[in-house]
Each structure stands twice: as structure tokens, then as C-alpha cells.
């Protein structure tokens, strides 16, 4: 089978193609034939420089390293102790052992779940990371309630577009920052108010925000403190918030990552099948070395409006 690995840290040119045996599975694992995966920020960060220095050395990538986290695919083999899956099941999930591979083996008890076989697995290959991250920000930690005011920065991106939908499904009033070109798409997602950050300073026109979801960081995050209610919350996928400013403004501010719980994944799948959650596909790339390299280049150059998907059947 074909895999796309990285030999060291650096540009997309550190990626290379290899051929290996299809992985053997243990009694508690399932073997998945990949249909789709997606490019996430963590993939380009790891490729360029690895995980933050605060992460223990034993958890840093070992070379050659397999990138990729979310996936969709079809179960082709099950271990003798597996009870939740059958050969032929369509599944989605997240794995931290890499997805740039034609086959992957994951534990039955890991972050993986069945989806109806009539659903298109291509967009579902980009659902796992962004939807579970947005879920944790809005529902898990944010605990959004009806009529609360939620500000989502970068609403047209992967996490941002999911956060809008989760917040609307929870009954919130949603404000998002984006460019004018994404206005119609964001309205379709349910955004109540769209601020073009290229022409308007959001901190001058909004106030009394209960929850900020920050996917941008930098000066955008700094300005967000000014529009929040006292005791409001901010969750950022872009950078660790300044705790001194959080104390100064009397708010909670945290860095956030994915909610890796199977029950969360089932909740997300239910919303998707009920058409209360959509995945916007920005572009589909073939599972080739050039395809993966191009997807990384495009992701880094942006804009990333929706998901960049790797198709293993293209």
C-alpha cells in the first residue's frame, strides 16, 4: 500500500512516498480502507517544526512520520474481539497515528464511529477534527445557551464554519468576522451578523459578547477582550490567550483542541445526518505525493474557506 511520510521537519518537500505492507490488526482493532482525509493546521505545523517544546520528547514525531488526523473509510477487517463494527461498515473518526495511508488500523474503542452507508464519505473525511474542536469550544466548554451572543472569528474556515452551526443549533445569536465574498455562505450556515474585517473594526461595532471563538489569534484575539461581557468566555484554536488580560477583563480564556470522546462524535454524526451540520469542501486533492504537497501549500497560502480534502479514489 502507498503512504506519504515526512523524513524531517521543513517545507512540503520533506514529504515522500513509500510502499509498505497493509498493517496487521490486533484482536481489538479494525482495518480501514481510506476514502478521504483532510488537511488541518496541526499537519502543517508538525511538518514545519514539530509539536511545541512543552510537549514531552517521547510524544514528538519520530521519523519517518505519518501525518493526518481525521478520516473516512470502509472497514475491511475486524479483530476477533471487535463487537461494534462489521466488515463493510462506513466509518469516520480521528487518529493520532496518521492518515496519509491507503489503509489504517485503529482500536475499536478509539475515536471512530459508523455512519450511514448512503452518506458521501468525501466531505466526511474533513468532519472529525474541525467539528469536534468546534463542539468542545461551543458546547463542551462554552456551554452556549439560547439567546447568548457568540462571536466567531474566521467563520468561513473549517472550525469557524462548524462553530457557527453548533452555536445556531444551540439557539445563540451568532456574529462572525469574515470577508464580503463569504457573506452568502455564512448566511446559509445561520450567522445572524457578518462583519467584514477588511473594512470594519469589529471592536467598534459590537459589545456584550458571552462567548468568543478565536480561530485567528494575534491582534484579533487582543481586541476581542474589549467586546466581551464580564465573566464571558474565550476559546482559541490559534494561540494560548494572555491570562493577564483575561484577569484584567474578568473573563475566562483558554486554548482549545478537539473533544476526543466517542459520544461527541455520535452527536456530531446525528446532526450531520439530520442536515443540521454541513461540511463545505474547498478543494479535493488526489492521494499522490504531488497532491499532498499541493494541499499543504494551498492550506498555508489560504484562504481556507471550508475543508481541503484528500481523496484516495480520485
Amino acid at each position: 500500500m502507498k503512504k506519504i511520510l515526512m523524513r524531517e521537519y521543513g517545507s512540503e518537500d520533506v514529504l515522500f512516498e513509500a510502499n509498505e505492507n497493509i498493517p496487521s490488526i490486533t484482536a481489538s482493532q479494525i482495518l480501514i480502507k481510506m476514502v478521504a482525509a483532510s488537511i488541518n493546521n496541526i499537519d502543517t505545523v508538525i511538518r514545519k517544526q514539530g509539536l511545541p517544546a512543552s510537549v514531552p520528547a517521547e510524544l514528538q514525531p519520530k521519523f519517518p512520520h505519518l501525518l493526518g488526523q481525521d478520516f473516512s473509510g470502509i472497514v475491511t477487517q475486524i479483530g476477533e474481539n471487535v463487537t461494534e463494527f462489521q466488515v463493510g461498515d462506513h466509518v469516520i473518526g480521528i487518529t493520532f497515528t496518521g492518515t496519509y495511508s491507503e489503509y489504517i488500523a485503529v482500536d475499536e474503542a478509539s475515536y471512530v464511529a459508523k455512519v450511514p452507508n448512503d452518506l458521501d464519505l468525501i466531505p466526511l473525511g474533513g468532519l472529525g477534527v474541525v467539528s469536534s474542536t468546534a463542539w468542545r469550544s461551543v458546547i463542551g466548554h462554552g456551554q452556549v445557551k439560547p439567546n447568548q451572543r457568540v462571536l466567531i472569528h474566521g467563520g468561513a474556515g473549517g472550525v469557524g464554519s462548524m462553530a457557527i452551526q453548533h452555536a445556531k443549533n444551540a439557539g445563540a445569536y451568532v456574529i462572525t468576522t469574515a470577508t464580503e465574498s463569504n457573506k452568502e455562505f455564512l448566511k446559509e450556515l445561520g450567522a445572524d451578523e457578518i462583519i467584514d474585517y477588511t473594512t470594519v473594526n469589529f471592536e467598534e461595532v459590537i459589545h456584550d459578547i458571552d462567548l468568543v471563538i478565536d480561530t485567528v489569534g494575534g491582534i484579533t484575539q487582543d481586541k476581542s477582550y474589549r467586546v466581551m461581557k464580564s465573566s464571558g468566555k474565550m476559546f482559541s484554536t490559534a494561540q494560548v490567550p494572555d491570562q493577564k488580560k483575561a484577569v484584567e477583563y474578568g473573563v475566562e480564556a483558554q486554548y482549545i483542541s478537539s473533544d476526543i470522546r466517542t459520544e461527541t462524535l455520535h452527536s456530531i454524526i446525528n446532526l450531520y445526518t439530520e442536515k443540521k451540520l454541513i461540511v463545505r469542501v474547498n478543494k479535493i486533492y488526489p492521494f499522490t505525493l504531488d497532491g499532498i504537497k499541493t494541499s499543504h501549500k494551498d492550506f498555508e497560502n489560504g484562504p481556507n474557506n471550508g475543508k481541503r480534502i484528500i481523496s484516495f479514489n480520485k
Side-chain angles (χ1 to χ4, degrees):
M1 68 170 188
K2 181 168 67 179
K3 300 175 80 171
I4 306 296
L5 299 153
M6 56 180 282
R7 60 171 55 91
E8 60 186 341
Y9 298 130
S11 73
E12 65 278 353
D13 291 328
V14 303
L15 298 169
F16 69 98
E17 182 178 319
N19 284 291
E20 298 182 6
N21 293 329
I22 293 173
S24 299
I25 59 171
T26 67
S28 63
Q29 288 185 317
I30 61 176
L31 183 68
I32 299 168
K33 186 179 188 300
M34 291 285 292
V35 171
S38 79
I39 307 300
N40 293 292
N41 183 62
I42 189 65
D43 302 319
T44 59
V45 168
I46 290 176
R47 193 209 71 228
K48 287 188 291 187
Q49 62 197 31
L51 295 169
S54 58
V55 175
E58 61 270 20
L59 297 180
Q60 294 285 350
K62 306 295 188 297
F63 299 116
H65 180 70
L66 185 66
L67 291 166
Q69 291 191 351
D70 45 13
F71 64 85
S72 66
I74 301 171
V75 177
T76 60
Q77 186 180 348
I78 62 172
E80 60 187 29
N81 294 338
V82 170
T83 59
E84 296 297 320
F85 299 92
Q86 298 293 328
V87 171
D89 284 344
H90 289 200
V91 295
I92 68 169
I94 297 175
T95 178
F96 298 112
T97 55
T99 60
Y100 296 4
S101 175
E102 290 180 308
Y103 288 84
I104 61 172
V106 300
D107 196 272
E108 176 185 37
S110 64
Y111 195 75
V112 57
K114 289 185 285 189
V115 297
N117 282 21
D118 59 349
L119 292 181
D120 184 354
L121 285 172
I122 295 296
L124 284 171
L127 183 65
V129 170
V130 293
S131 62
S132 58
T133 302
W135 178 277
R136 191 176 189 191
S137 304
V138 175
I139 307 298
H141 282 26
Q143 299 181 329
V144 169
K145 306 211 170 28
N147 301 316
Q148 284 191 322
R149 290 167 59 82
V150 178
L151 170 62
I152 298 168
H153 291 302
V159 174
S161 61
M162 289 293 163
I164 289 172
Q165 295 174 84
H166 287 321
K168 286 306 298 180
N169 287 330
Y173 181 88
V174 178
I175 306 165
T176 187
T177 57
T179 59
E180 181 67 22
S181 61
N182 288 303
K183 188 172 182 179
E184 291 307 313
F185 167 61
L186 295 170
K187 283 184 177 179
E188 290 175 15
L189 296 182
D192 297 289
E193 200 172 327
I194 301 157
I195 298 173
D196 183 348
Y197 65 84
T198 66
T199 59
V200 178
N201 295 319
F202 72 89
E203 73 277 13
E204 297 177 359
V205 296
I206 58 174
H207 53 84
D208 293 333
I209 299 298
D210 295 284
L211 173 66
V212 174
I213 307 299
D214 167 38
T215 71
V216 178
I219 190 66
T220 298
Q221 185 182 103
D222 289 342
K223 291 179 178 179
S224 295
Y225 290 101
R226 308 177 200 171
V227 304
M228 298 172 67
K229 285 182 178 178
S230 177
S231 76
K233 300 177 182 179
M234 177 196 296
F235 298 111
S236 177
T237 64
Q239 68 183 55
V240 177
D242 186 330
Q243 292 306 304
K244 289 183 178 179
K245 285 189 176 179
V247 171
E248 176 187 347
Y249 284 92
V251 301
E252 177 185 353
Q254 294 183 33
Y255 178 80
I256 206 80
S257 58
S258 300
D259 185 341
I260 311 298
R261 293 181 298 167
T262 305
E263 57 264 35
T264 297
L265 186 57
H266 283 297
S267 296
I268 289 166
I269 290 170
N270 287 339
L271 288 171
Y272 188 88
T273 56
E274 293 169 4
K275 301 188 186 304
K276 294 179 180 179
L277 201 64
I278 64 170
V279 179
R280 184 189 197 184
V281 176
N282 182 304
K283 187 175 179 178
I284 299 175
Y285 303 82
F287 181 59
T288 62
L289 180 57
D290 285 342
I292 298 292
K293 284 183 175 181
T294 301
S295 70
H296 275 236
K297 286 181 185 176
D298 290 350
F299 187 93
E300 291 183 88
N301 291 333
N304 294 304
N305 302 332
K307 293 297 297 179
R308 298 186 184 276
I309 302 290
I310 301 162
S311 170
F312 289 74
N313 300 323
K314 187 173 179 179

